[in-house]
Amino acid sequence: MKRRNFIGLATLAASGVAASGYISFEKFEMLMRKIIIKDTASLKVDLQEIDKFFADTSKYKVWNNLFPFANQQVIRWHYYVDNPLFSLPYSSNYKLYRSKIVGLFLLSSDFFVNKMDVNKPITYRSLYDPYISPCSNPFSNLFYPGV
Amino acid sequence: MEKYDLIIVGTGFASSFFLKKYLEKSSGDKRVLVLERGILYPHSERLKFERNEEQAEQYKNRVGYDQTFQNGDNKKPWIFDPNFGGSSNCWTGCTPRFLPNDFKIKSLYGVGQDWPISYDELEPYYTEVEDFMMIAGPMVTPFPKSKPYPLPQQTLSTFDNLLHEKYKELYISQPTARATMPTGKRNACCTSAVCGLCPVNSKFTIENSLDYVYSDPRVTIKYSAQVYDLRTENNQIKALVYKQNGRDYEIEAETFALGANPIFNAHILLNAGDTNKKTGKGLCEQRGTYVQLLLKDLDNVGGSSIITANGFMLYDGEHRKSEAACIIESFNTPFIRNEPGKWRKMARLKFIFEDLPNDKNKVVLTDDPLKPKIEYSGHDPYVDRAMKNLKRNVERLFSFIPIEKIEMDNYFQKSEYHICSTVRMSSSSKDGVVDSGLIHHQYRNLFVLGSGVFPSITPANPTLTLSALSLMAADRAF
């Protein structure tokens, strides 16, 4: 092998290892933050509201309870590898997990209580937990009487 | 040695409704002993656990269901609550009745096994359980009823309303033990959607509605007492053996009732040397899978309770000759569709299929007399055939609704939390373990209660039916 080819391959391999390491070991909360910011880009969300949400999720160790290690890996790899032409296996699980992440943030805010009004700025209220705040399912008849 | 008129094993639905009827029909001098393997783990303490609040030591060290038996090579979970009130502590509170044809699927469709009783025989007891549990349900149902439900129905969502208009009695507000208004010690359901442990104590549990039978002066209850064997003599049960705090006890009675779950009822009989060829065999439960309908221009909102509706469009009919019946559940958990502007334009449905009891799936003995083992090789191909046709059926049934996309899970949930059919009822001992009165074919002073007696399991939730069976058995016998 020519020296130039060897260096090229070695650089490629090293880049792959570095990328894999980053995907596998990036702080999970950072990834959650990226997902929420990206998926709520069409809404009026101040980053400070997202900060308040993550302060509570850290306090109550939400992410590790919600997503065991294997699920976290599914989220990590899909987030970075999926593209319009290619998707890793278990994409339906990834979609479900991603909906849970964004859903938890929005349920913890006043977005659904305000009937999904995209013109109103979103305010973080408290971490959505039916055991702390029962009767707060914002899609129920309590919030949509008589539909 | 102490001798009781009746000894009951367990304190779940099956035992508690049996005891209720027995006490109603018995004189004041009767003596009843109830043996509960677990502890009284109150609702208030369960809530503390969910809220990450400090619990007392005795609740921290409670036994989990998975520590009570050995699972075989197939790691399918079999889930229950081994404490006072049994699975009333963790059920969702879904109470559809079985359909009349469920009791005769062999005669009508050539599959499975007929029941030795008919729907009409059980109907009065269905009504009695519904009245006692204060079931909320609709005026129109796909099964005949002699009396309306005691509470008004849960509210259908916008999506459900379209289906109810189209399918009438085949798509209804789910009959449920999640109360629509305060009743007794229970509050009204407010759709918190975590019914395994209701934060407002709305769903019926033994603790909140039937605990009084255990305070009756005729009744003695012992906790942490695991029954594991029976002493037999001349085709009668003479005594029962249980372990409490590491010590074995043997105790006599005139009559015995096994009301543990189907795994442990079978295990006790096997330990006792029951030679019925069906004892322990037929273990099964329903299989469920989710389907998401991504809706066009329709927010799915306004429903009450965790599961708003039941669909019966794939339940009964000629298709049962070749594939499993299916009941549909419409979910109202706070799920979202992660697409801007379409956040709740989605329906989440669960399709639940009946399985056919198969003798290959069974409870067997181990070296440890306290621990049964599960040998489970999988569900019947009857279920797979229904699953294979599901996409086509979904497209057909929901074609009139504006749908952008159908997303199928295409895999089964690990468990439906309904353990069934290890001690099936039958007309003869050749085909089952107990008779139409839930009395053991051989041991005529022994009742075996619960969903273990179901000859066919249907796709519907078993609790209402097993409770009605307990009332019927005690009513006929005493």
Side-chain angles (χ1 to χ4, degrees), chain A residues 39-40 42-43 60 92-93 95-96 98-99 102-103 106-107 111-112 116 118 128-132 134-142 144 147, chain B residues 47 50-51 155 158 161 190-194 197 199-200 294 299-304 332-338 340 343-344 348 405 407 411:
Chain A
D39 291 359
T40 60
S42 63
L43 306 176
Y60 297 108
S92 62
N93 290 28
K95 201 172 168 186
L96 180 68
R98 192 158 170 160
S99 290
V102 178
L106 292 176
L107 287 165
F111 177 64
F112 292 124
M116 301 174 258
V118 292
Y128 183 81
D129 183 343
Y131 287 106
I132 304 298
C135 318
S136 53
N137 180 342
F139 308 116
S140 76
N141 62 328
L142 297 179
Y144 288 89
V147 294
Chain B
L47 280 181
E50 290 296 337
R51 291 171 179 156
T155 309
T158 47
N161 276 321
C190 60
T191 322
S192 301
V194 282
L197 177 64
V200 299
L294 306 189
D299 281 324
N300 183 15
V301 295
S304 66
N332 192 31
T333 44
F335 56 79
I336 67 153
R337 175 177 171 184
N338 191 18
W343 302 105
R344 190 63 181 187
R348 185 163 165 76
K405 191 181 176 191
E407 292 183 341
Y411 60 84

Side-chain angles (χ1 to χ4, degrees), chain B residues 130-422:
Chain B
E130 286 164 349
D131 281 350
F132 189 78
M133 285 192 183
M134 295 300 282
I135 299 299
M139 294 300 289
V140 179
T141 57
F143 34 79
K145 283 180 98 291
S146 58
K147 193 179 169 190
Y149 285 110
L151 292 184
Q153 70 175 35
Q154 294 284 358
T155 309
L156 295 173
S157 72
T158 47
F159 168 79
D160 296 322
N161 276 321
L162 294 177
L163 284 150
H164 178 59
E165 279 171 29
K166 170 89 174 170
Y167 293 111
K168 308 288 190 274
E169 78 279 2
L170 293 181
Y171 194 92
I172 57 171
S173 173
Q174 182 181 64
T176 172
R178 306 180 293 271
T180 42
M181 56 179 66
T183 176
K185 297 178 195 168
R186 295 156 59 193
N187 293 302
C189 170
C190 60
T191 322
S192 301
V194 282
C195 304
L197 177 64
C198 178
V200 299
N201 209 4
S202 169
K203 73 170 179 180
F204 176 95
T205 66
I206 302 302
E207 186 194 348
N208 68 23
S209 300
L210 202 41
D211 58 338
Y212 71 89
V213 296
Y214 298 99
S215 306
D216 188 287
R218 291 168 285 180
V219 177
T220 302
I221 182 166
K222 294 185 179 181
Y223 292 98
S224 303
Q226 186 185 349
V227 175
Y228 67 93
D229 204 352
L230 303 166
R231 299 283 180 247
T232 61
E233 192 176 283
N234 300 326
N235 292 330
Q236 294 274 306
I237 304 300
K238 187 165 180 287
L240 160 160
V241 187
Y242 69 95
K243 194 177 272 295
Q244 188 180 39
N245 300 324
R247 277 189 61 191
D248 290 312
Y249 298 87
E250 204 168 300
I251 197 146
E252 294 186 354
E254 289 293 326
T255 307
F256 299 82
L258 301 183
N261 76 23
I263 296 171
F264 288 92
N265 280 350
H267 183 238
I268 292 165
L269 288 170
L270 290 170
N271 266 338
D274 182 9
T275 55
N276 187 299
K277 287 189 165 40
K278 295 290 183 186
T279 300
K281 293 177 180 170
L283 176 71
C284 61
E285 66 168 345
Q286 294 103 344
R287 305 309 313 267
T289 185
Y290 283 103
V291 173
Q292 281 70 236
L293 304 180
L294 306 189
L295 306 172
K296 193 189 290 180
D297 302 328
L298 177 67
D299 281 324
N300 183 15
V301 295
S304 66
S305 205
I306 186 173
I307 297 166
T308 45
N310 272 144
F312 293 81
M313 300 88 84
L314 299 172
Y315 195 129
D316 194 38
E318 290 297 304
H319 64 279
R320 287 176 94 172
K321 287 179 176 171
S322 59
E323 65 182 74
C326 173
I327 195 169
I328 305 167
E329 290 182 338
S330 175
F331 273 73
N332 192 31
T333 44
F335 56 79
I336 67 153
R337 175 177 171 184
N338 191 18
E339 293 179 53
K342 299 178 178 178
W343 302 105
R344 190 63 181 187
K345 292 182 179 10
M346 175 175 167
R348 185 163 165 76
L349 303 171
K350 193 177 196 185
F351 292 76
I352 301 154
F353 305 101
E354 66 182 329
D355 191 9
L356 297 174
N358 185 323
D359 286 357
K360 284 190 297 187
N361 298 324
K362 57 194 174 188
V363 178
V364 297
L365 297 175
T366 66
D367 292 339
D368 182 348
L370 298 178
K371 275 195 179 183
K373 182 181 176 187
I374 303 292
E375 290 184 357
Y376 182 77
S377 59
H379 59 250
D380 197 273
Y382 190 61
V383 179
D384 292 321
R385 287 195 290 273
M387 180 73 149
K388 195 177 165 193
N389 289 331
L390 183 59
K391 187 165 193 299
R392 184 167 47 83
N393 281 326
V394 170
E395 287 169 351
R396 176 174 59 83
L397 290 171
F398 299 95
S399 60
F400 73 99
I401 286 179
I403 292 174
E404 286 182 7
K405 191 181 176 191
I406 297 169
E407 292 183 341
M408 319 265 306
D409 270 7
N410 285 326
Y411 60 84
F412 293 108
Q413 291 294 304
K414 286 180 180 170
S415 177
E416 289 303 311
Y417 308 86
H418 301 150
I419 310 168
C420 294
S421 299
T422 57

